[in-house]
Amino acid sequence: MQTYEFSLTFSLAGVDDPKRVVQHLYHTTCHDALICIIDEEHIEVCFEREAPSLSLAQENAISDVVGCVSNANFINRKAI
């Protein structure tokens, strides 16, 4: 399988402490990612993820983040 590098941006509606969200993501589903706080309402998650295709890697990563943080809304993706 090939490894793909990409970043995803999410909004965090109603989150009081984005640092807790980052810690939770890292320790649950995104241990293969670098998670950055853009501002109090947005995070960017940069992945190196193995998958059969880039689109499948991105879709799985989006699902992981939204499944882990219920108030995370996907905004944008960018291949690196």
Side-chain angles (χ1 to χ4, degrees), residues 43-57:
I43 59 171
E44 182 173 78
V45 187
C46 301
F47 288 90
E48 275 189 25
R49 188 164 274 199
E50 287 187 3
S53 69
L54 174 60
S55 62
L56 188 57

